[in-house]
Amino acid sequence: MEGVAEMTKAAQQKGSDPLLWAVQMYSNLNSAGEALPSVELAQFLVSYICWDNNVPILWKFLEKALTLQIVPPILLLALLSVRVIPCRHVQPVAYRLYLELLKRHAFELKSQINRPDYQKVMKSIDAVLQLSNIFGMSQSEPGILVVEFLFSTVWQLLDASLDDEGLLEFTPDKKSRWATLYHDMELDRHDNYSDKKTEHHEKLQNANTLMAVEMIGQFLQDKISSRILYLARQNLPAHWLIFTQRLQLLGANSLALRKSRTLSPEALLQLTSDSCLVLSREYKTNSQQKFQTVMSFEYLSSSASLCHGASHSALWIPLDLVLEDSMDGYQVSATSAIETISGLIKTLRAINGTSWHDTFLGLWLATLRLVQRERDPIDGPMPHLDTRLCMLLCIIPLVVGDLIEEEEERTAVDEKDSGLVDCWRGRKVPGKCRNDLVSSLQVLGDYQSLLTPPQSVVVAANQAAAKAMLFVSGIAIGSAYFDCLNVTEMPVDCLYDNVSDRQKVWSASVFLIPFKLPGNMRHLIVEACIARNLLDTSAYLWPGYVNGHINQIPQCMPAQVPGWSSFMKGAPLTTGMVNALVSSPATCQVSELEKIFGIAIGGSEDEKISAAAILCGASLIRGWNIQEHTVHFILRLLSPPVPAEKTEGNNYLINYAPILNVLFVGIASVDCVQIFSLHGLVPQLACSLMPICEVFGSCVPNISWTLTSGEEISAHAVFSNAFILLLKLWRFNRPPLEYGIGDVPTVGSQLTPEYLLLVRNSHLMSASNIQKDRNRRRLSEIASLSSPNSVFVDSFPKLKVWYRQHQACIASTLSGLVHGTPFHQIVEGLLNMMFRKINRGSQTTITSGSSSSSGPANEDASVGPKLPAWDILEAIPFVVDAALTACAHGRLSPRELATGLKDLADFLPASLATIISYFSAEVTRGVWKPVFMNGTDWPSPAANLLNVEAQIKKILAATGVDVPSLASVLIPTAAV
């Protein structure tokens, strides 16, 4: 453990990111052959923290170690209990953290006892808590130790709560049952506690006591833990009697219990009764009724469950802020929005004391407001409506599904243990949480102002409403017809409340009235929930969901249309079929995407390109019901399998150039990148792009590919598209003051290639563990399918060299270019290509402080250096430095400089990244003089200023902001 201690101390001193520490710890222990989760690491961390290093960052290290499961959770809880509980008065913060960890992990015993290291962990727990000695059990089987561990955990909380409320002296022993164990630990009991006692500590102690009491009740009513405690009652009757006597003392006299909003004294006393702990068929059947007092106890003192509308929305302002922040197109996140929002919802629900009904309603309202704020998008680089609709119709249903699954896992009855057989096998019986989802969506229909669909999704909303109306009317048609269905011509009996009685009579007889199907955002939300099995088609029968009846199938409907249904029935991928599949999203059937994916990996070259274009089309942008599957299939295509037989010559990725290029172009928009970000797949996308950039950037551009459209692409083009997409995944362009100086950026300030790969590797490592979190399972699955091994930046030497040079150029000025070297010749060649038109036929010399370049400027405009892209990128900072120096000394005009840079960017589009990075750093350093654009060397913008000003005023007028007119004498400048 010496290496572990040194690494932890170093990370503590540097203030390292806890996730990075945990990943590195996992990697080191795994490389050293240490069995994971590590018992020794758990013992070290607890002994290290308690108490010489009791600082927040180490508790964060501890939490990340639990998250990545590199320490056994129940052993860690046992180690903490004997160290933290006796010192809870001196260390109230540590006691709160222990209670939080206990609440998070103690109820997951079922998953932990299935691990291969189960017996070793339980023996270690027995050694820590001395369970065999305390309970007098001669056998130390793991199953017995689990019962004793849980029993001892609850008992320790009970004695601590009695002691905190001055009730322990009324017990026969007048001391804790665990006092001897605490004394044996030789803990520092901090005799100067009275000097440290503050008002803040006292408040925290009271809050801790309340939380401990509520957790005791939670252990007694949880389905799994209550059964384990029942086994303790059956097999440890003498100890159980002492335990229940103390529990009844707490229930009858606890002041904290009377302040609890989730547990009443009567409910706690009822939970201690023998009849409530008898595990019989009658108990199973009536368990919900027995626990009704506790389970239905709401935060009655809070107005959250009673308020709606604006006051209700005020509770969810933090959610509005997080949702809006996730729409920032200038940066992406390595963390899934599903994980972020789920955690925030749990926190807000606990703070606001809301029911699941109000929680779900607040979530839908906040996301609908997010969409309505971008109803009429303007052109610009920011993500627009597509990303916001992705949040509402894909991310939020996934969040809701995760929350419901987690809640149902806590409350579902274990049929295997109970021996009961559900005659409705295959039918998921909805629980309270799922019922609250239904009620929230029913109430959502009252918020008509938020449900008006933006113009771009009116057709989709109408089709969703038509689907429900057809179902209610008993008419079954294939999904292929919805794309061509003209809903304004549907023969409908109108039953709207705003239709006159006379019209109702006519429509109910033989006449049809003009009709416009009123699809809204709720119809799309319900369809998204149905696609993910959160609802069933009974939602179509909700009051007011559809307000009409279709008499017959319209006669105008064609017999066969190109679309997903025809494609699934065997129609070939003709041009018309491809256009139809690109422009319309797949339905909620994943089989459609699977068939397209199969063609993309096994079809002809033309079919592969068409399949890739289809995946990057409407199914990605507007396929809300299957969007999470679409991004997964795209990522799998970006990581083609390595052939079984090694081929000589070029890397195997070269053969995939056409389809890869289609994918790069298809997902390069800001909206698409943000969709990957919302799904938490930015780390995986980066991991897929890096080997592609490494291979194509190392190719000499002597090969090309011709696409089905007739366009010819080179290795430079494929590399540029991949490289620019990769750069969009982190804010690579950081001036020194913002970015930090040196090889290693400041922790947590931005995303880096190393960090993205570490996050991706953490997804891969969790694939072998039992994950209850559905989002983590999704991320683990796609990580393992793309590449089964961990990936590090060292695997891409060319990318690493460029990235280190990029950091160095940002941090300081250029130096080190030696005249006459091959690298200097590359710089010369690029300069000659850029400025070949200047003094054609003469000798042109461009000099900088560190380099000079001279040569004939008579090369053909279509010919550039036949060099790998990485070599060109490495030379570009010196090229730009020399050109900028020439401009500053009058050898180049600003216009000639700009034209040369354009030629360089046309030759290798990826060079724009390095050019922008260099200019950003140089502008920050402020070493160049401004150059006036007076209309001679550069076109004067004066003629367009009034038009630009009018457009700005028009945009700002909608926000109520009044701005003064621009000065007519304004002369723009450019830094050179």
Side-chain angles (χ1 to χ4, degrees):
M1 284 288 117
E2 293 181 1
V4 171
E6 293 176 359
M7 182 184 299
T8 304
K9 291 177 182 177
Q12 177 187 352
Q13 293 172 356
K14 293 180 180 179
S16 299
D17 189 322
L19 178 60
L20 292 179
W21 172 88
V23 172
Q24 292 172 358
M25 185 65 68
Y26 181 99
S27 177
N28 289 354
L29 292 175
N30 196 29
S31 301
E34 178 74 18
L36 296 176
S38 173
V39 171
E40 291 75 16
L41 179 59
Q43 294 170 341
F44 164 77
L45 288 176
V46 174
S47 62
Y48 186 72
I49 293 176
C50 304
W51 295 104
D52 295 334
N53 297 281
N54 181 29
V55 292
I57 192 171
L58 285 176
W59 284 94
K60 294 179 181 178
F61 287 174
L62 194 66
E63 192 275 335
K64 290 302 179 184
L66 285 169
T67 301
L68 293 185
Q69 297 192 13
I70 59 178
V71 295
I74 54 178
L75 173 60
L76 192 73
L77 294 175
L79 291 166
L80 287 173
S81 67
V82 295
R83 291 181 176 269
V84 174
I85 292 179
C87 297
R88 64 189 181 279
H89 294 155
V90 187
Q91 303 287 352
V93 175
Y95 186 42
R96 169 50 66 92
L97 294 173
Y98 163 74
L99 292 175
E100 294 290 349
L101 293 176
L102 187 66
K103 186 176 183 180
R104 188 176 304 178
H105 298 281
F107 297 97
E108 298 178 351
L109 290 175
K110 194 172 181 179
S111 63
Q112 297 174 33
I113 63 178
N114 293 326
R115 301 186 60 86
D117 59 347
Y118 167 49
Q119 294 188 1
K120 178 182 178 182
V121 171
M122 295 316 302
K123 289 182 180 179
S124 300
I125 291 176
D126 187 23
V128 172
L129 298 178
Q130 302 177 19
L131 298 175
S132 300
N133 295 333
I134 290 176
F135 292 108
M137 298 290 288
S138 58
Q139 297 179 346
S140 58
E141 295 294 330
I144 296 175
L145 293 175
V146 166
V147 176
E148 294 175 343
F149 163 74
L150 188 66
F151 189 24
S152 66
T153 299
V154 181
W155 201 333
Q156 288 184 79
L157 291 179
L158 175 60
D159 281 0
S161 301
L162 289 171
D163 187 26
D164 291 343
E165 297 203 75
L167 299 174
L168 196 59
E169 62 182 12
F170 296 103
T171 61
D173 297 337
K174 300 186 182 300
K175 63 179 182 179
S176 171
R177 179 69 177 80
W178 310 93
T180 303
L181 178 62
Y182 298 154
H183 179 72
D184 291 342
M185 292 298 298
E186 298 180 356
L187 296 172
D188 180 9
R189 298 307 301 267
H190 299 271
D191 295 332
N192 60 342
Y193 160 67
S194 58
D195 296 333
K196 294 185 177 181
K197 188 172 182 179
T198 64
E199 182 179 356
H200 172 70
H201 274 206
E202 189 171 355
K203 290 181 179 179
L204 185 55
Q205 290 173 26
N206 294 335
N208 289 345
T209 302
L210 174 60
M211 184 174 181
V213 171
E214 291 177 341
M215 286 194 63
I216 294 172
Q218 190 173 351
F219 277 108
L220 290 170
Q221 62 184 317
D222 181 79
K223 300 299 180 183
I224 303 300
S225 61
S226 63
R227 293 178 194 136
I228 295 176
L229 292 175
Y230 171 73
L231 295 176
R233 172 186 176 274
Q234 291 290 94
N235 296 279
L236 301 169
H239 294 87
W240 182 260
L241 178 61
I242 299 173
F243 173 79
T244 54
Q245 289 174 348
R246 298 190 176 208
L247 199 59
Q248 290 168 0
L249 177 63
L250 181 72
N253 300 280
S254 172
L255 295 177
L257 186 58
R258 284 165 173 73
K259 297 178 182 179
S260 174
R261 295 177 175 179
T262 60
L263 184 66
S264 65
E266 295 77 16
L268 181 62
L269 293 174
Q270 183 184 4
L271 292 171
T272 63
S273 63
D274 291 344
S275 60
C276 195
L277 289 164
V278 176
L279 295 184
S280 61
R281 288 178 178 268
E282 292 75 17
Y283 164 77
K284 290 288 185 178
T285 304
N286 300 319
S287 60
Q288 292 298 326
Q289 297 176 0
K290 289 180 177 291
F291 293 143
Q292 183 176 4
T293 305
V294 179
M295 298 298 291
S296 63
F297 197 94
E298 294 290 341
Y299 294 160
L300 298 179
S301 62
S302 171
S303 61
S305 60
L306 303 176
C307 60
H308 298 280
S311 58
H312 180 90
S313 300
L315 298 174
W316 306 99
I317 289 177
L319 178 60
D320 285 272
L321 297 176
V322 169
L323 291 176
E324 192 63 48
D325 186 60
S326 66
M327 296 296 105
D328 184 359
Y330 289 117
Q331 57 185 355
V332 296
S333 174
T335 305
S336 167
I338 302 171
E339 181 178 347
T340 302
I341 296 172
S342 296
L344 178 62
I345 287 297
K346 295 174 187 177
T347 301
L348 293 178
R349 182 171 180 263
I351 293 174
N352 297 330
T354 54
S355 64
W356 278 116
H357 167 88
D358 288 323
T359 299
F360 289 141
L361 183 59
L363 185 58
W364 296 123
L365 293 176
T367 319
L368 283 169
R369 288 194 296 270
L370 179 76
V371 173
Q372 296 301 330
R373 286 195 289 270
E374 193 69 25
R375 280 183 55 84
D376 300 312
I378 60 174
D379 293 334
M382 300 296 292
H384 293 157
L385 197 57
D386 289 329
T387 312
R388 295 171 185 260
L389 289 170
C390 167
M391 177 66 78
L392 172 65
L393 300 174
C394 182
I395 299 300
I396 298 304
L398 292 174
V399 169
V400 171
D402 290 352
L403 293 173
I404 289 178
E405 182 182 71
E406 181 179 341
E407 189 69 13
E408 288 182 345
E409 284 180 352
R410 288 184 175 276
T411 59
V413 177
D414 190 341
E415 295 178 0
K416 182 178 180 180
D417 292 344
S418 66
L420 295 179
V421 179
D422 186 3
C423 61
W424 295 92
R425 290 191 183 276
R427 177 183 177 185
K428 185 174 289 187
V429 180
K432 185 178 187 300
C433 189
R434 196 177 293 266
N435 289 334
D436 283 349
L437 170 64
V438 171
S439 64
S440 70
L441 288 172
Q442 290 174 335
V443 173
L444 190 63
D446 297 335
Y447 296 86
Q448 290 298 324
S449 61
L450 288 176
L451 297 179
T452 303
Q455 190 61 38
S456 62
V457 294
V458 167
V459 173
N462 285 343
Q463 290 175 351
K467 180 180 179 181
M469 191 171 292
L470 288 167
F471 177 87
V472 172
S473 304
I475 299 176
I477 63 174
S479 60
Y481 296 102
F482 280 105
D483 288 336
C484 64
L485 182 62
N486 186 353
V487 295
T488 61
E489 298 178 359
M490 292 175 62
V492 175
D493 283 338
C494 187
L495 301 178
Y496 297 119
D497 294 335
N498 59 351
V499 178
S500 68
D501 293 338
R502 184 178 180 183
Q503 286 179 314
K504 290 180 182 179
V505 173
W506 285 1
S507 64
S509 55
V510 295
F511 295 96
L512 298 176
I513 63 173
F515 173 72
K516 182 178 180 181
L517 197 66
N520 59 37
M521 298 305 296
R522 186 170 70 141
H523 292 105
L524 293 176
I525 293 172
V526 168
E527 287 300 316
C529 291
I530 291 176
R532 293 171 176 83
N533 296 320
L534 300 176
L535 301 174
D536 55 32
T537 50
S538 63
Y540 298 155
L541 304 176
W542 292 347
Y545 188 75
V546 291
N547 293 315
H549 184 81
I550 299 175
N551 295 326
Q552 59 186 2
I553 299 178
Q555 299 298 325
C556 60
M557 296 182 66
Q560 185 75 13
V561 291
W564 288 98
S565 180
S566 300
F567 170 71
M568 294 301 291
K569 291 178 181 178
L573 279 179
T574 61
T575 302
M577 177 64 74
V578 171
N579 292 335
L581 300 186
V582 168
S583 59
S584 61
T587 67
C588 58
Q589 299 178 15
V590 183
S591 58
E592 297 172 344
L593 295 178
E594 290 175 342
K595 185 173 181 179
I596 286 293
F597 177 75
I599 294 175
I601 61 176
S604 66
E605 290 302 316
D606 289 346
E607 288 178 334
K608 289 180 179 179
I609 292 175
S610 297
I614 291 170
L615 285 176
C616 297
S619 294
L620 174 63
I621 301 298
R622 292 183 285 108
W624 308 297
N625 299 340
I626 41 84
Q627 202 170 54
E628 66 270 27
H629 304 290
T630 306
V631 292
H632 289 182
F633 284 123
I634 291 174
L635 283 174
R636 290 177 64 180
L637 288 180
L638 286 173
S639 301
V642 180
E645 298 181 359
K646 294 184 178 180
T647 57
E648 297 182 359
N650 293 327
N651 186 282
Y652 74 99
L653 289 173
I654 297 295
N655 298 327
Y656 294 94
I659 187 174
L660 291 176
N661 193 69
V662 171
L663 294 172
F664 300 150
V665 175
I667 64 177
S669 68
V670 176
D671 278 331
C672 289
V673 172
Q674 281 299 104
I675 288 172
F676 279 86
S677 175
L678 294 177
H679 284 276
L681 294 174
V682 163
Q684 185 56 52
L685 180 57
C687 182
S688 299
L689 292 173
M690 287 181 187
I692 297 172
C693 292
E694 187 74 15
V695 170
F696 285 92
S698 303
C699 291
V700 177
N702 54 6
I703 56 175
S704 62
W705 302 266
T706 302
L707 304 181
T708 54
S709 61
E711 178 187 0
E712 185 173 317
I713 58 173
S714 65
H716 277 180
V718 177
F719 169 79
S720 294
N721 290 332
F723 186 67
I724 292 173
L725 179 58
L726 177 63
L727 294 185
K728 292 179 181 179
L729 305 185
W730 79 87
R731 296 183 66 182
F732 77 101
N733 179 29
R734 294 270 185 156
L737 294 178
E738 184 181 5
Y739 191 85
I741 298 176
D743 282 346
V744 182
T746 54
V747 174
S749 61
Q750 71 288 310
L751 303 180
T752 63
E754 294 95 336
Y755 180 78
L756 290 174
L757 289 180
L758 285 174
V759 174
R760 181 263 171 192
N761 293 341
S762 70
H763 295 164
L764 182 66
M765 287 186 292
S766 62
S768 59
N769 301 327
I770 299 176
Q771 291 286 347
K772 286 191 174 183
D773 189 330
R774 290 202 307 177
N775 181 57
R776 293 293 180 90
R777 289 201 300 266
R778 287 189 290 264
L779 295 176
S780 298
E781 179 182 0
I782 189 59
S784 59
L785 287 175
S786 298
S787 176
N789 301 316
S790 298
V791 180
F792 301 94
V793 175
D794 292 338
S795 303
F796 314 112
K798 295 289 187 180
L799 174 64
K800 184 177 180 180
V801 167
W802 171 85
Y803 182 61
R804 295 308 181 195
Q805 184 199 48
H806 158 74
Q807 290 181 307
C809 289
I810 288 179
S812 61
T813 55
L814 290 173
S815 61
L817 182 61
V818 180
H819 184 78
T821 61
F823 183 74
H824 183 259
Q825 294 175 2
I826 296 176
V827 175
E828 283 187 326
L830 292 173
L831 287 169
N832 288 331
M833 179 196 72
M834 294 167 61
F835 306 112
R836 60 188 175 275
K837 296 179 182 179
I838 305 173
N839 299 325
R840 182 177 294 273
S842 63
Q843 191 79 5
T844 300
T845 303
I846 299 175
T847 308
S848 71
S850 58
S851 66
S852 65
S853 175
S854 62
N858 57 0
E859 295 186 24
D860 192 330
S862 62
V863 178
K866 297 294 185 181
L867 297 170
W870 287 122
D871 293 348
I872 297 173
L873 287 182
E874 186 178 0
I876 283 176
F878 298 93
V879 171
V880 177
D881 179 75
L884 202 57
T885 303
C887 186
H889 288 80
R891 294 188 178 91
L892 285 176
S893 68
R895 188 169 190 171
E896 291 167 340
L897 172 62
T899 303
L901 293 175
K902 177 183 178 297
D903 290 342
L904 178 60
D906 289 340
F907 172 65
L908 182 65
S911 61
L912 276 172
T914 302
I915 294 172
I916 293 172
S917 172
Y918 175 83
F919 277 130
S920 298
E922 292 299 293
V923 169
T924 303
R925 283 189 275 268
V927 297
W928 302 99
K929 298 178 181 179
V931 172
F932 291 95
M933 298 187 296
N934 55 14
T936 302
D937 291 331
W938 194 268
S940 175
N944 296 323
L945 281 181
L946 293 179
N947 184 38
V948 172
E949 180 184 5
Q951 292 294 328
I952 293 174
K953 285 187 174 182
K954 181 179 178 181
I955 294 173
L956 294 179
T959 66
V961 177
D962 187 19
V963 294
S965 298
L966 296 173
S968 59
V969 296
L970 180 62
I971 301 178
T973 61
V976 172

